Amino acid sequence: QRRALASPAGSTIASLLLMLSFAVLGASTALLAGASAPAGANGVVRPRAAVLLAEAAATTDEQKASGISWDSHQYVDQAPESLIRDDDLQGANQDMRRRFEENCRRAQNAICKAVSELDGAEFREDVWTRPGGGGGISRVLCNGNVFEKAGCSLSVVYGSMPQDALQSATSRGADRAKGYAPGERVPFFACGLSSVMHPRNPMAPTMHFNYRYFETDGGVWWFGGGSDITPAYLFEEDIAHFHQTYKDVCDTHDPEYYARFKKWADEYFTIKHRGETRGLGGIFFDDQNDRDPEAIFAFSKECLDSVVPAYLPLVAKHKDDSFTQQQKEWQLMRRGRYVEFNLVYDRGTVFGLKTGGRIESILMSLPETARWEYSHEPAAGSPEAEIMDAFKTPREWAK
């Protein structure tokens, strides 16, 4: 089983990361799709490499302007009591900032403890701060007994963004630059807890969650988040359990939440160039500020508290299932799809790269091994074909 992970079939993705993450930094969708690079002043089309280098340099300049960059963090031996700085800003909800961070840290402790108990291995912890405030706590379990890689990372970010970049980081195109003149940079605060867990056994699903809170110094605030599941093989009762857990949470807070957020997840996690979803969904929401912040905070808190009961029983159920080398290779191919989505479409990844986030934390979500086969098609009637149908045609799982 472990040999299969290290075999040529389970090829590492280090070189792919270097290429794709570099492309994501500045390359437009047209360039990634193979369109011609823009012509220079003399009408000569510049090589794509030159365009990418120029755009990567622009991204570096943007990070300097934002006040944070990939290497601006400072490692510390122990996490401070809080990563929230004392701001005396009109309109800043300091109480919500502190309570959201406290809840993320509480949930991080509880989730990592439960995962360690199931796996038998411990998480490595890295703690860092930034001179301008904020920082993070990353915990990663690698080469475990049950999980090939499991990460759970807390981030607190203070920075500034151009208005167009801020708009692209949200979903509905809402006005997040309220109070600022056109072209003026928007200072922001963000706090979130993000996790991805990749089990060894191909019968056990991968799971991702992220819950976050944003504020601008102009007084605009919103919540976002979600939990989703990505199996390689379909066990309908498992997917129904995951979805039902989150539907029950949604129904407690708003009877319309689940239908909206389940549809949102199906749409958001679509790999457009493949015509399929990354996994089998869950819930996803963003730009939530349509009611009292206390109500949305309570919902976010209960969603975080549901991670362990929604997911870990499924891993415990399948962690010792037998599997073949072919099934392992299929899992690695599905992980390849995971990589494609995260590096090309995921707003959190792009946001972290553009705002100078800590690279190890941003790419924590990626599996250690993945696989790409040329023009691979599952055999008709096979378990692989069965789940591909679910990836291409989203289904209803909860009652």
Side-chain angles (χ1 to χ4, degrees):
Q1 187 172 335
R2 292 178 185 245
R3 282 196 299 272
L5 288 170
S7 69
S11 58
T12 62
I13 59 174
S15 59
L16 179 71
L17 287 179
L18 289 173
M19 293 185 289
L20 282 182
S21 61
F22 180 66
V24 170
L25 288 177
S28 66
T29 302
L31 283 174
L32 288 173
S36 297
N42 59 359
V44 177
V45 175
R46 293 181 294 164
R48 289 189 181 89
V51 175
L52 294 178
L53 285 171
E55 292 180 341
T59 299
T60 301
D61 291 341
E62 163 57 27
Q63 291 164 7
K64 291 177 181 177
S66 74
I68 54 178
S69 63
W70 297 327
D71 58 356
S72 65
H73 56 275
Q74 302 170 345
Y75 290 103
V76 295
D77 294 332
Q78 188 173 357
E81 184 176 341
S82 176
L83 293 166
I84 307 296
R85 71 188 186 195
D86 292 324
D87 280 341
D88 187 18
L89 294 171
Q90 183 178 1
N93 191 338
Q94 284 293 107
D95 180 62
M96 180 57 73
R97 294 182 182 191
R98 292 189 181 280
R99 287 194 293 135
F100 197 87
E101 186 215 15
E102 289 171 0
N103 186 58
C104 286
R105 290 173 76 154
R106 176 195 62 81
Q108 184 183 41
N109 289 337
I111 292 167
C112 290
K113 181 176 183 292
V115 171
S116 287
E117 289 175 351
L118 177 62
D119 190 284
E122 297 297 323
F123 282 80
R124 163 184 170 171
E125 179 178 277
D126 290 318
V127 183
W128 72 96
T129 59
R130 294 186 188 274
I137 304 171
S138 282
R139 293 180 184 166
V140 178
L141 186 159
C142 292
N143 198 30
N145 299 301
V146 176
F147 292 94
E148 177 185 286
K149 184 180 181 183
C152 190
S153 183
L154 166 73
S155 293
V156 175
V157 182
Y158 292 88
S160 67
M161 295 181 71
Q163 295 180 22
D164 58 348
L166 184 62
Q167 293 292 89
S168 68
T170 63
S171 183
R172 298 178 304 183
D175 181 12
R176 301 308 182 204
K178 180 181 178 182
Y180 291 88
E184 189 176 3
R185 297 183 68 87
V186 180
F188 70 90
F189 160 86
C191 177
L193 184 67
S194 180
S195 176
V196 176
M197 304 197 183
H198 296 288
R200 290 186 176 282
N201 196 303
M203 303 302 160
T206 286
M207 185 275 305
H208 157 263
F209 73 79
N210 175 283
Y211 293 92
R212 55 199 176 272
Y213 175 68
F214 276 76
E215 275 189 30
T216 72
D217 287 5
V220 180
W221 59 269
W222 67 96
F223 292 81
S227 300
D228 61 281
I229 193 164
T230 303
Y233 286 92
L234 180 58
F235 297 92
E236 293 188 356
E237 66 277 14
D238 294 350
I239 310 306
H241 167 81
F242 186 86
H243 276 263
Q244 192 65 50
T245 300
Y246 279 100
K247 183 178 186 299
D248 292 345
V249 174
C250 289
D251 289 350
T252 300
H253 294 266
D254 187 324
E256 296 182 358
Y257 267 178
Y258 177 74
R260 285 172 52 202
F261 297 163
K262 191 267 184 189
K263 183 175 184 291
W264 207 337
D266 289 339
E267 293 172 350
Y268 177 76
F269 291 109
T270 296
I271 308 172
K272 298 179 180 64
H273 60 272
R274 295 283 189 180
E276 63 193 56
T277 55
R278 184 179 76 175
L280 296 182
I283 61 169
F284 176 87
F285 60 94
D286 205 356
D287 305 324
Q288 296 301 295
N289 62 358
D290 62 345
R291 60 197 71 193
D292 190 318
E294 293 295 333
I296 309 176
F297 175 61
F299 173 63
S300 178
K301 181 177 182 296
E302 191 169 353
C303 286
L304 268 175
D305 289 342
S306 299
V307 167
V308 169
Y311 175 60
L312 287 190
L314 309 182
V315 180
K317 174 182 175 183
H318 294 290
K319 66 184 179 66
D320 298 317
D321 287 0
S322 60
F323 60 87
T324 66
Q325 178 64 25
Q326 181 181 358
Q327 289 169 328
K328 184 65 188 180
E329 291 173 2
W330 172 252
Q331 179 198 44
L332 297 180
M333 280 188 272
R334 292 312 306 175
R335 285 183 178 173
R337 299 293 204 266
Y338 208 94
V339 171
E340 291 177 28
F341 176 86
N342 280 31
L343 292 181
V344 177
Y345 299 111
D346 185 68
R347 286 202 303 268
T349 302
V350 175
F351 176 82
L353 291 170
K354 286 188 174 181
T355 58
R358 178 176 177 265
I359 291 297
E360 291 300 326
S361 298
I362 297 169
L363 301 182
M364 176 194 72
S365 64
L366 300 179
E368 290 191 348
T369 53
R371 181 183 179 93
W372 284 263
E373 282 192 16
Y374 180 75
S375 195
H376 180 271
E377 292 289 341
S382 67
E384 294 80 9
E386 178 187 27
I387 198 167
M388 277 302 301
D389 179 70
F391 292 145
K392 291 180 178 294
T393 308
R395 305 177 188 177
E396 295 299 323
W397 301 101
K399 296 180 180 178

